[in-house]
Amino acid sequence: MECLNNHGKLEKILFCDVEVDYCPTCLGVWFEQDELRFAKDKKDEQLNWLDVDLWRDKGKFKIAKTRRVCPACRMPLYEVNYDDSKVKIDLCNLCKGIWLDRGEFKQIIIYLKTKSDYEILHNYNKNFRQELWEIFTGPEKFREELIDFLTLLKLFNYKFVVQHPFLTSLIENMQK
Ligand SMILES: [Zn+2]
Ligand SMILES: [Zn+2]
């Protein structure tokens, strides 16, 4: 698979048994639906109490067409926007993969901080820090943000992915 910003091939990175494709140049990240599902299947009972505003309210989603194409199936990507958050994600309506630019990643973290949900997630993930660092194989500048990244991965599993059927219906209505 190729970087959406034309930097050539994406590389594999392993976070907590979840394989993610990323661009070593711009640090954009591609999440495949299967990878997300795999993470979700793992028992994580503590996450039951997790209550974060991001992506909760269906009425706050906005969708727009982009010129970008999915690195996996070459279909056009749709930009998904949430509320006043400036959080944007590129979604493939066919394989349900998600592309996150570096800036988009940061915007999500900023949004979580303003909503004070970040503290909860950050503290939750802190326990994994040591364990993670031992198995982490990616570049150093990624490693510094490992905890934030993992926080985001959890959010995708528990908040964003459940909205897929709804997002699909939005996209289909757009095409009529
Ligand atoms: Zn790139
Ligand atoms: Zn796709």
Side-chain angles (χ1 to χ4, degrees), residues 98-156:
I98 293 162
W99 174 264
L100 265 192
D101 274 322
R102 186 66 174 168
E104 292 166 344
F105 170 82
K106 299 239 161 157
Q107 283 299 342
I108 293 177
I109 299 298
I110 289 166
Y111 179 81
L112 291 176
K113 281 179 176 164
T114 63
K115 298 281 176 184
S116 62
D117 293 326
Y118 179 76
E119 238 8 75
I120 303 167
L121 286 160
H122 191 75
N123 286 331
Y124 170 77
N125 280 324
K126 216 159 59 180
N127 304 330
F128 291 124
R129 188 186 288 259
Q130 198 53 44
E131 192 187 332
L132 274 173
W133 279 23
E134 280 162 19
I135 57 161
F136 181 67
T137 56
E140 197 65 25
K141 54 181 165 175
F142 233 29
R143 182 169 146 149
E144 286 164 20
E145 288 175 1
L146 201 54
I147 301 298
D148 283 350
F149 187 88
L150 208 74
T151 301
L152 215 62
L153 202 65
K154 299 260 182 219
L155 271 180
F156 274 113

Short mmCIF file of all heavy atoms in Angstrom, two decimals, residues 98-156:
data_model
loop_
_atom_site.label_atom_id
_atom_site.label_comp_id
_atom_site.label_asym_id
_atom_site.label_seq_id
_atom_site.Cartn_x
_atom_site.Cartn_y
_atom_site.Cartn_z
N ILE A 98 -9.51 3.34 7.42
CA ILE A 98 -9.47 4.75 7.83
C ILE A 98 -8.05 5.28 7.68
O ILE A 98 -7.09 4.65 8.12
CB ILE A 98 -9.87 4.87 9.32
CG1 ILE A 98 -11.34 4.50 9.52
CG2 ILE A 98 -9.62 6.28 9.82
CD1 ILE A 98 -11.65 4.19 10.97
N TRP A 99 -7.93 6.46 7.04
CA TRP A 99 -6.64 7.13 6.95
C TRP A 99 -6.62 8.33 7.88
O TRP A 99 -7.56 9.12 7.91
CB TRP A 99 -6.36 7.59 5.53
CG TRP A 99 -5.11 8.41 5.40
CD1 TRP A 99 -5.02 9.77 5.40
CD2 TRP A 99 -3.77 7.92 5.31
NE1 TRP A 99 -3.71 10.15 5.30
CE2 TRP A 99 -2.92 9.03 5.24
CE3 TRP A 99 -3.20 6.62 5.27
CZ2 TRP A 99 -1.52 8.90 5.14
CZ3 TRP A 99 -1.81 6.51 5.16
CH2 TRP A 99 -1.00 7.64 5.10
N LEU A 100 -5.54 8.46 8.63
CA LEU A 100 -5.35 9.59 9.52
C LEU A 100 -4.06 10.30 9.17
O LEU A 100 -2.98 9.71 9.27
CB LEU A 100 -5.21 9.11 10.96
CG LEU A 100 -6.40 9.05 11.88
CD1 LEU A 100 -5.91 8.83 13.29
CD2 LEU A 100 -7.22 10.33 11.81
N ASP A 101 -4.16 11.57 8.75
CA ASP A 101 -2.96 12.37 8.57
C ASP A 101 -2.41 12.74 9.94
O ASP A 101 -3.13 12.72 10.94
CB ASP A 101 -3.30 13.66 7.80
CG ASP A 101 -3.25 13.44 6.30
OD1 ASP A 101 -2.37 12.70 5.83
OD2 ASP A 101 -4.10 14.02 5.60
N ARG A 102 -1.15 13.12 9.93
CA ARG A 102 -0.49 13.54 11.17
C ARG A 102 -1.29 14.64 11.89
O ARG A 102 -1.54 14.58 13.07
CB ARG A 102 0.90 14.07 10.80
CG ARG A 102 1.74 14.41 11.96
CD ARG A 102 2.05 13.18 12.68
NE ARG A 102 3.00 13.41 13.76
CZ ARG A 102 3.24 12.50 14.67
NH1 ARG A 102 2.62 11.35 14.62
NH2 ARG A 102 4.10 12.74 15.62
N GLY A 103 -1.71 15.64 11.12
CA GLY A 103 -2.46 16.75 11.70
C GLY A 103 -3.80 16.30 12.25
O GLY A 103 -4.28 16.83 13.26
N GLU A 104 -4.40 15.34 11.61
CA GLU A 104 -5.70 14.84 12.05
C GLU A 104 -5.56 14.10 13.39
O GLU A 104 -6.40 14.23 14.26
CB GLU A 104 -6.28 13.91 10.97
CG GLU A 104 -6.66 14.67 9.70
CD GLU A 104 -6.92 13.79 8.49
OE1 GLU A 104 -6.55 12.60 8.50
OE2 GLU A 104 -7.50 14.29 7.53
N PHE A 105 -4.49 13.36 13.48
CA PHE A 105 -4.18 12.68 14.74
C PHE A 105 -4.07 13.69 15.89
O PHE A 105 -4.68 13.55 16.94
CB PHE A 105 -2.86 11.91 14.57
CG PHE A 105 -2.30 11.35 15.84
CD1 PHE A 105 -2.78 10.15 16.36
CD2 PHE A 105 -1.29 12.02 16.52
CE1 PHE A 105 -2.26 9.64 17.53
CE2 PHE A 105 -0.77 11.51 17.69
CZ PHE A 105 -1.25 10.32 18.20
N LYS A 106 -3.32 14.77 15.62
CA LYS A 106 -3.15 15.80 16.65
C LYS A 106 -4.47 16.48 17.00
O LYS A 106 -4.73 16.79 18.16
CB LYS A 106 -2.14 16.86 16.17
CG LYS A 106 -0.77 16.27 15.89
CD LYS A 106 0.30 16.90 16.72
CE LYS A 106 1.51 15.99 16.75
NZ LYS A 106 2.77 16.57 17.03
N GLN A 107 -5.29 16.72 15.98
CA GLN A 107 -6.59 17.37 16.24
C GLN A 107 -7.47 16.53 17.17
O GLN A 107 -8.20 17.08 17.99
CB GLN A 107 -7.33 17.63 14.92
CG GLN A 107 -6.81 18.82 14.13
CD GLN A 107 -6.92 20.13 14.88
OE1 GLN A 107 -7.67 20.27 15.85
NE2 GLN A 107 -6.17 21.12 14.45
N ILE A 108 -7.41 15.24 17.01
CA ILE A 108 -8.22 14.38 17.87
C ILE A 108 -7.74 14.49 19.32
O ILE A 108 -8.55 14.62 20.24
CB ILE A 108 -8.17 12.90 17.38
CG1 ILE A 108 -8.88 12.79 16.03
CG2 ILE A 108 -8.84 11.99 18.40
CD1 ILE A 108 -8.83 11.42 15.40
N ILE A 109 -6.43 14.48 19.50
CA ILE A 109 -5.89 14.61 20.85
C ILE A 109 -6.27 15.97 21.45
O ILE A 109 -6.69 16.05 22.60
CB ILE A 109 -4.35 14.43 20.84
CG1 ILE A 109 -3.98 13.03 20.32
CG2 ILE A 109 -3.76 14.66 22.23
CD1 ILE A 109 -4.50 11.85 21.14
N ILE A 110 -6.17 17.03 20.64
CA ILE A 110 -6.54 18.37 21.11
C ILE A 110 -8.02 18.40 21.51
O ILE A 110 -8.39 18.92 22.56
CB ILE A 110 -6.26 19.44 20.02
CG1 ILE A 110 -4.76 19.65 19.86
CG2 ILE A 110 -6.94 20.77 20.37
CD1 ILE A 110 -4.35 20.42 18.61
N TYR A 111 -8.84 17.82 20.67
CA TYR A 111 -10.29 17.78 20.95
C TYR A 111 -10.56 17.07 22.27
O TYR A 111 -11.32 17.55 23.10
CB TYR A 111 -11.01 17.08 19.80
CG TYR A 111 -12.50 16.96 20.00
CD1 TYR A 111 -13.34 18.04 19.72
CD2 TYR A 111 -13.07 15.78 20.48
CE1 TYR A 111 -14.70 17.94 19.90
CE2 TYR A 111 -14.44 15.67 20.67
CZ TYR A 111 -15.25 16.75 20.38
OH TYR A 111 -16.61 16.65 20.56
N LEU A 112 -9.92 15.94 22.46
CA LEU A 112 -10.13 15.17 23.70
C LEU A 112 -9.69 15.97 24.92
O LEU A 112 -10.32 15.91 25.96
CB LEU A 112 -9.35 13.85 23.64
CG LEU A 112 -9.86 12.83 22.63
CD1 LEU A 112 -8.94 11.62 22.60
CD2 LEU A 112 -11.27 12.40 22.97
N LYS A 113 -8.63 16.73 24.73
CA LYS A 113 -8.15 17.55 25.85
C LYS A 113 -9.16 18.62 26.22
O LYS A 113 -9.41 18.87 27.40
CB LYS A 113 -6.79 18.16 25.53
CG LYS A 113 -5.66 17.14 25.70
CD LYS A 113 -4.30 17.71 25.35
CE LYS A 113 -3.23 16.67 25.64
NZ LYS A 113 -1.94 16.97 25.01
N THR A 114 -9.75 19.27 25.21
CA THR A 114 -10.72 20.32 25.51
C THR A 114 -11.98 19.76 26.15
O THR A 114 -12.65 20.43 26.91
CB THR A 114 -11.14 21.12 24.25
OG1 THR A 114 -11.80 20.21 23.34
CG2 THR A 114 -9.97 21.74 23.55
N LYS A 115 -12.29 18.53 25.83
CA LYS A 115 -13.49 17.92 26.40
C LYS A 115 -13.19 17.20 27.71
O LYS A 115 -14.04 16.53 28.27
CB LYS A 115 -14.10 16.91 25.41
CG LYS A 115 -14.54 17.52 24.11
CD LYS A 115 -15.89 18.21 24.23
CE LYS A 115 -16.24 18.90 22.92
NZ LYS A 115 -17.47 19.67 23.00
N SER A 116 -11.97 17.31 28.15
CA SER A 116 -11.46 16.68 29.38
C SER A 116 -11.72 15.17 29.46
O SER A 116 -11.76 14.57 30.51
CB SER A 116 -11.99 17.38 30.64
OG SER A 116 -13.40 17.29 30.71
N ASP A 117 -11.87 14.58 28.29
CA ASP A 117 -11.96 13.12 28.26
C ASP A 117 -10.56 12.51 28.22
O ASP A 117 -10.36 11.34 28.53
CB ASP A 117 -12.68 12.64 26.99
CG ASP A 117 -14.14 13.04 27.00
OD1 ASP A 117 -14.72 13.07 28.09
OD2 ASP A 117 -14.67 13.31 25.92
N TYR A 118 -9.62 13.35 27.81
CA TYR A 118 -8.27 12.87 27.56
C TYR A 118 -7.63 12.26 28.81
O TYR A 118 -7.00 11.22 28.76
CB TYR A 118 -7.42 14.02 27.05
CG TYR A 118 -6.00 13.66 26.79
CD1 TYR A 118 -5.64 12.92 25.66
CD2 TYR A 118 -5.00 14.02 27.68
CE1 TYR A 118 -4.33 12.57 25.43
CE2 TYR A 118 -3.68 13.68 27.46
CZ TYR A 118 -3.36 12.95 26.33
OH TYR A 118 -2.06 12.60 26.12
N GLU A 119 -7.82 12.95 29.94
CA GLU A 119 -7.22 12.51 31.21
C GLU A 119 -7.59 11.06 31.53
O GLU A 119 -6.76 10.25 31.91
CB GLU A 119 -7.72 13.42 32.33
CG GLU A 119 -6.69 14.18 33.14
CD GLU A 119 -5.25 14.14 32.70
OE1 GLU A 119 -4.88 14.80 31.70
OE2 GLU A 119 -4.48 13.42 33.36
N ILE A 120 -8.86 10.76 31.34
CA ILE A 120 -9.37 9.42 31.66
C ILE A 120 -8.65 8.38 30.80
O ILE A 120 -8.16 7.37 31.30
CB ILE A 120 -10.89 9.33 31.36
CG1 ILE A 120 -11.65 10.40 32.14
CG2 ILE A 120 -11.42 7.94 31.67
CD1 ILE A 120 -13.09 10.59 31.68
N LEU A 121 -8.60 8.66 29.52
CA LEU A 121 -7.98 7.71 28.61
C LEU A 121 -6.48 7.61 28.82
O LEU A 121 -5.91 6.53 28.78
CB LEU A 121 -8.26 8.15 27.16
CG LEU A 121 -9.68 7.90 26.69
CD1 LEU A 121 -10.00 8.76 25.49
CD2 LEU A 121 -9.88 6.44 26.37
N HIS A 122 -5.88 8.75 29.02
CA HIS A 122 -4.44 8.78 29.20
C HIS A 122 -4.04 7.96 30.43
O HIS A 122 -3.12 7.15 30.38
CB HIS A 122 -3.97 10.22 29.34
CG HIS A 122 -2.49 10.36 29.27
ND1 HIS A 122 -1.79 10.25 28.08
CD2 HIS A 122 -1.56 10.56 30.23
CE1 HIS A 122 -0.50 10.39 28.32
NE2 HIS A 122 -0.33 10.58 29.61
N ASN A 123 -4.75 8.15 31.51
CA ASN A 123 -4.45 7.41 32.74
C ASN A 123 -4.71 5.91 32.57
O ASN A 123 -3.99 5.09 33.10
CB ASN A 123 -5.27 7.93 33.91
CG ASN A 123 -4.74 9.27 34.37
OD1 ASN A 123 -3.56 9.55 34.25
ND2 ASN A 123 -5.63 10.11 34.88
N TYR A 124 -5.74 5.64 31.82
CA TYR A 124 -6.05 4.23 31.58
C TYR A 124 -4.90 3.53 30.85
O TYR A 124 -4.49 2.43 31.20
CB TYR A 124 -7.33 4.13 30.76
CG TYR A 124 -7.58 2.72 30.28
CD1 TYR A 124 -8.09 1.76 31.16
CD2 TYR A 124 -7.29 2.34 28.98
CE1 TYR A 124 -8.29 0.46 30.74
CE2 TYR A 124 -7.49 1.05 28.56
CZ TYR A 124 -7.99 0.12 29.43
OH TYR A 124 -8.17 -1.16 29.01
N ASN A 125 -4.37 4.21 29.88
CA ASN A 125 -3.34 3.59 29.06
C ASN A 125 -1.95 3.60 29.69
O ASN A 125 -1.07 2.87 29.27
CB ASN A 125 -3.27 4.28 27.70
CG ASN A 125 -4.36 3.78 26.77
OD1 ASN A 125 -4.70 2.60 26.81
ND2 ASN A 125 -4.90 4.65 25.96
N LYS A 126 -1.78 4.43 30.68
CA LYS A 126 -0.48 4.58 31.33
C LYS A 126 0.06 3.25 31.84
O LYS A 126 1.25 2.99 31.80
CB LYS A 126 -0.59 5.59 32.47
CG LYS A 126 0.63 6.45 32.63
CD LYS A 126 0.31 7.72 33.40
CE LYS A 126 -0.24 7.43 34.78
NZ LYS A 126 -0.55 8.67 35.52
N ASN A 127 -0.84 2.42 32.28
CA ASN A 127 -0.44 1.12 32.84
C ASN A 127 0.26 0.23 31.81
O ASN A 127 1.02 -0.64 32.16
CB ASN A 127 -1.66 0.37 33.37
CG ASN A 127 -2.41 1.19 34.39
OD1 ASN A 127 -1.79 1.99 35.10
ND2 ASN A 127 -3.72 1.02 34.46
N PHE A 128 -0.03 0.49 30.57
CA PHE A 128 0.54 -0.34 29.52
C PHE A 128 1.92 0.14 29.07
O PHE A 128 2.60 -0.54 28.34
CB PHE A 128 -0.36 -0.34 28.28
CG PHE A 128 -1.65 -1.07 28.50
CD1 PHE A 128 -2.85 -0.43 28.27
CD2 PHE A 128 -1.66 -2.38 28.91
CE1 PHE A 128 -4.06 -1.09 28.46
CE2 PHE A 128 -2.85 -3.05 29.11
CZ PHE A 128 -4.05 -2.41 28.88
N ARG A 129 2.28 1.31 29.50
CA ARG A 129 3.46 1.97 28.94
C ARG A 129 4.70 1.06 28.88
O ARG A 129 5.27 0.86 27.83
CB ARG A 129 3.78 3.22 29.75
CG ARG A 129 4.87 4.06 29.14
CD ARG A 129 5.22 5.20 30.08
NE ARG A 129 4.16 6.20 30.13
CZ ARG A 129 4.21 7.36 29.47
NH1 ARG A 129 5.24 7.63 28.72
NH2 ARG A 129 3.23 8.23 29.56
N GLN A 130 5.07 0.50 30.03
CA GLN A 130 6.28 -0.30 30.10
C GLN A 130 6.21 -1.50 29.15
O GLN A 130 7.09 -1.75 28.36
CB GLN A 130 6.51 -0.77 31.54
CG GLN A 130 7.94 -1.22 31.78
CD GLN A 130 8.97 -0.15 31.37
OE1 GLN A 130 8.79 1.03 31.66
NE2 GLN A 130 10.01 -0.56 30.67
N GLU A 131 5.12 -2.19 29.29
CA GLU A 131 4.87 -3.38 28.48
C GLU A 131 4.99 -3.06 26.98
O GLU A 131 5.58 -3.80 26.21
CB GLU A 131 3.47 -3.86 28.82
CG GLU A 131 3.10 -5.22 28.31
CD GLU A 131 1.63 -5.49 28.59
OE1 GLU A 131 1.10 -4.92 29.58
OE2 GLU A 131 1.01 -6.23 27.83
N LEU A 132 4.41 -1.93 26.61
CA LEU A 132 4.39 -1.51 25.21
C LEU A 132 5.77 -1.19 24.68
O LEU A 132 6.13 -1.57 23.58
CB LEU A 132 3.57 -0.24 25.08
CG LEU A 132 2.08 -0.40 24.91
CD1 LEU A 132 1.45 0.96 24.98
CD2 LEU A 132 1.81 -1.05 23.58
N TRP A 133 6.50 -0.44 25.46
CA TRP A 133 7.80 0.02 25.00
C TRP A 133 8.72 -1.14 24.71
O TRP A 133 9.60 -1.07 23.88
CB TRP A 133 8.40 0.99 26.03
CG TRP A 133 7.82 2.36 25.87
CD1 TRP A 133 6.62 2.65 25.31
CD2 TRP A 133 8.41 3.59 26.26
NE1 TRP A 133 6.42 4.01 25.33
CE2 TRP A 133 7.49 4.61 25.91
CE3 TRP A 133 9.61 3.93 26.88
CZ2 TRP A 133 7.76 5.95 26.16
CZ3 TRP A 133 9.87 5.27 27.13
CH2 TRP A 133 8.95 6.26 26.77
N GLU A 134 8.53 -2.22 25.45
CA GLU A 134 9.40 -3.38 25.25
C GLU A 134 9.15 -4.05 23.91
O GLU A 134 10.07 -4.60 23.32
CB GLU A 134 9.19 -4.38 26.39
CG GLU A 134 9.96 -3.96 27.63
CD GLU A 134 9.48 -4.63 28.88
OE1 GLU A 134 8.80 -5.68 28.77
OE2 GLU A 134 9.76 -4.10 29.98
N ILE A 135 7.90 -4.01 23.45
CA ILE A 135 7.61 -4.71 22.20
C ILE A 135 7.56 -3.77 20.99
O ILE A 135 7.45 -4.21 19.87
CB ILE A 135 6.26 -5.47 22.27
CG1 ILE A 135 5.13 -4.52 22.63
CG2 ILE A 135 6.35 -6.60 23.28
CD1 ILE A 135 3.75 -5.05 22.28
N PHE A 136 7.68 -2.48 21.25
CA PHE A 136 7.54 -1.50 20.18
C PHE A 136 8.74 -1.50 19.23
O PHE A 136 9.88 -1.49 19.67
CB PHE A 136 7.34 -0.12 20.77
CG PHE A 136 7.16 0.95 19.75
CD1 PHE A 136 6.04 0.98 18.95
CD2 PHE A 136 8.12 1.94 19.59
CE1 PHE A 136 5.87 1.96 18.00
CE2 PHE A 136 7.96 2.93 18.65
CZ PHE A 136 6.82 2.94 17.85
N THR A 137 8.47 -1.50 17.92
CA THR A 137 9.56 -1.60 16.96
C THR A 137 9.66 -0.41 16.01
O THR A 137 10.51 -0.39 15.14
CB THR A 137 9.39 -2.87 16.09
OG1 THR A 137 8.10 -2.82 15.46
CG2 THR A 137 9.51 -4.14 16.91
N GLY A 138 8.79 0.57 16.14
CA GLY A 138 8.74 1.69 15.18
C GLY A 138 9.76 2.78 15.46
O GLY A 138 10.61 2.64 16.34
N PRO A 139 9.67 3.89 14.72
CA PRO A 139 10.63 4.99 14.88
C PRO A 139 10.45 5.74 16.21
O PRO A 139 9.37 5.73 16.79
CB PRO A 139 10.29 5.93 13.71
CG PRO A 139 8.88 5.59 13.36
CD PRO A 139 8.69 4.14 13.68
N GLU A 140 11.52 6.37 16.64
CA GLU A 140 11.55 7.02 17.94
C GLU A 140 10.46 8.09 18.12
O GLU A 140 9.83 8.17 19.14
CB GLU A 140 12.93 7.64 18.15
CG GLU A 140 13.25 7.99 19.59
CD GLU A 140 13.33 6.77 20.50
OE1 GLU A 140 13.61 5.65 20.01
OE2 GLU A 140 13.09 6.94 21.71
N LYS A 141 10.25 8.92 17.08
CA LYS A 141 9.28 10.00 17.25
C LYS A 141 7.85 9.46 17.37
O LYS A 141 6.97 10.13 17.88
CB LYS A 141 9.38 11.05 16.15
CG LYS A 141 9.30 10.55 14.73
CD LYS A 141 9.45 11.74 13.77
CE LYS A 141 9.73 11.25 12.35
NZ LYS A 141 9.77 12.34 11.38
N PHE A 142 7.65 8.28 16.91
CA PHE A 142 6.36 7.63 17.07
C PHE A 142 6.22 7.10 18.49
O PHE A 142 5.17 7.15 19.09
CB PHE A 142 6.24 6.48 16.08
CG PHE A 142 5.02 6.53 15.24
CD1 PHE A 142 4.44 7.75 14.91
CD2 PHE A 142 4.46 5.37 14.75
CE1 PHE A 142 3.32 7.79 14.11
CE2 PHE A 142 3.33 5.41 13.95
CZ PHE A 142 2.76 6.62 13.64
N ARG A 143 7.30 6.58 18.98
CA ARG A 143 7.34 5.96 20.29
C ARG A 143 6.94 6.95 21.39
O ARG A 143 6.26 6.61 22.34
CB ARG A 143 8.75 5.43 20.54
CG ARG A 143 8.92 4.74 21.84
CD ARG A 143 10.25 4.03 21.86
NE ARG A 143 10.81 4.04 23.20
CZ ARG A 143 11.58 3.07 23.66
NH1 ARG A 143 11.90 2.06 22.92
NH2 ARG A 143 12.04 3.15 24.90
N GLU A 144 7.36 8.20 21.23
CA GLU A 144 7.03 9.23 22.21
C GLU A 144 5.52 9.41 22.34
O GLU A 144 5.01 9.81 23.37
CB GLU A 144 7.64 10.58 21.79
CG GLU A 144 9.13 10.65 22.00
CD GLU A 144 9.75 11.80 21.22
OE1 GLU A 144 9.00 12.73 20.86
OE2 GLU A 144 10.96 11.74 20.99
N GLU A 145 4.82 9.14 21.26
CA GLU A 145 3.38 9.36 21.26
C GLU A 145 2.59 8.08 21.37
O GLU A 145 1.39 8.05 21.13
CB GLU A 145 2.99 10.08 19.97
CG GLU A 145 3.44 11.51 19.96
CD GLU A 145 3.17 12.17 18.63
OE1 GLU A 145 2.61 11.51 17.75
OE2 GLU A 145 3.52 13.33 18.50
N LEU A 146 3.27 7.05 21.78
CA LEU A 146 2.66 5.73 21.80
C LEU A 146 1.37 5.68 22.62
O LEU A 146 0.37 5.11 22.19
CB LEU A 146 3.67 4.74 22.37
CG LEU A 146 3.46 3.28 22.03
CD1 LEU A 146 3.36 3.10 20.53
CD2 LEU A 146 4.60 2.46 22.58
N ILE A 147 1.41 6.31 23.76
CA ILE A 147 0.24 6.26 24.65
C ILE A 147 -0.95 6.98 24.01
O ILE A 147 -2.07 6.48 24.01
CB ILE A 147 0.56 6.87 26.03
CG1 ILE A 147 1.73 6.11 26.67
CG2 ILE A 147 -0.65 6.85 26.94
CD1 ILE A 147 1.48 4.65 26.95
N ASP A 148 -0.67 8.14 23.44
CA ASP A 148 -1.73 8.87 22.74
C ASP A 148 -2.27 8.06 21.57
O ASP A 148 -3.47 8.03 21.31
CB ASP A 148 -1.20 10.21 22.21
CG ASP A 148 -1.09 11.23 23.32
OD1 ASP A 148 -1.61 10.95 24.42
OD2 ASP A 148 -0.49 12.27 23.10
N PHE A 149 -1.36 7.43 20.88
CA PHE A 149 -1.76 6.66 19.73
C PHE A 149 -2.67 5.50 20.14
O PHE A 149 -3.69 5.22 19.51
CB PHE A 149 -0.54 6.11 19.00
CG PHE A 149 -0.88 5.44 17.70
CD1 PHE A 149 -0.95 6.18 16.53
CD2 PHE A 149 -1.16 4.10 17.66
CE1 PHE A 149 -1.28 5.57 15.34
CE2 PHE A 149 -1.50 3.48 16.47
CZ PHE A 149 -1.56 4.22 15.31
N LEU A 150 -2.30 4.88 21.21
CA LEU A 150 -3.08 3.75 21.71
C LEU A 150 -4.46 4.20 22.17
O LEU A 150 -5.47 3.54 21.97
CB LEU A 150 -2.33 3.11 22.87
CG LEU A 150 -2.63 1.64 23.02
CD1 LEU A 150 -1.95 0.86 21.93
CD2 LEU A 150 -2.23 1.17 24.38
N THR A 151 -4.46 5.37 22.79
CA THR A 151 -5.72 5.97 23.22
C THR A 151 -6.66 6.09 22.02
O THR A 151 -7.83 5.75 22.08
CB THR A 151 -5.46 7.36 23.81
OG1 THR A 151 -4.57 7.22 24.89
CG2 THR A 151 -6.74 8.02 24.26
N LEU A 152 -6.08 6.55 20.94
CA LEU A 152 -6.84 6.74 19.73
C LEU A 152 -7.35 5.42 19.15
O LEU A 152 -8.47 5.32 18.68
CB LEU A 152 -5.92 7.42 18.71
CG LEU A 152 -6.60 8.40 17.80
CD1 LEU A 152 -7.17 9.53 18.61
CD2 LEU A 152 -5.58 8.93 16.81
N LEU A 153 -6.51 4.44 19.22
CA LEU A 153 -6.87 3.12 18.71
C LEU A 153 -8.08 2.58 19.47
O LEU A 153 -9.01 2.03 18.90
CB LEU A 153 -5.69 2.18 18.88
CG LEU A 153 -5.65 0.95 17.97
CD1 LEU A 153 -5.49 1.36 16.52
CD2 LEU A 153 -4.51 0.04 18.38
N LYS A 154 -8.07 2.79 20.77
CA LYS A 154 -9.20 2.35 21.60
C LYS A 154 -10.46 3.11 21.20
O LYS A 154 -11.53 2.55 21.10
CB LYS A 154 -8.91 2.64 23.08
CG LYS A 154 -7.70 1.94 23.60
CD LYS A 154 -8.08 0.71 24.38
CE LYS A 154 -6.84 0.05 24.94
NZ LYS A 154 -6.90 -1.40 24.87
N LEU A 155 -10.28 4.40 20.99
CA LEU A 155 -11.43 5.22 20.59
C LEU A 155 -12.02 4.75 19.29
O LEU A 155 -13.23 4.71 19.13
CB LEU A 155 -11.00 6.67 20.45
CG LEU A 155 -11.09 7.52 21.69
CD1 LEU A 155 -10.63 8.93 21.36
CD2 LEU A 155 -12.51 7.55 22.22
N PHE A 156 -11.16 4.41 18.35
CA PHE A 156 -11.66 3.92 17.07
C PHE A 156 -12.49 2.66 17.27
O PHE A 156 -13.54 2.49 16.67
CB PHE A 156 -10.51 3.63 16.11
CG PHE A 156 -10.08 4.84 15.35
CD1 PHE A 156 -8.84 5.40 15.57
CD2 PHE A 156 -10.92 5.42 14.43
CE1 PHE A 156 -8.45 6.53 14.89
CE2 PHE A 156 -10.53 6.54 13.74
CZ PHE A 156 -9.29 7.10 13.98
#
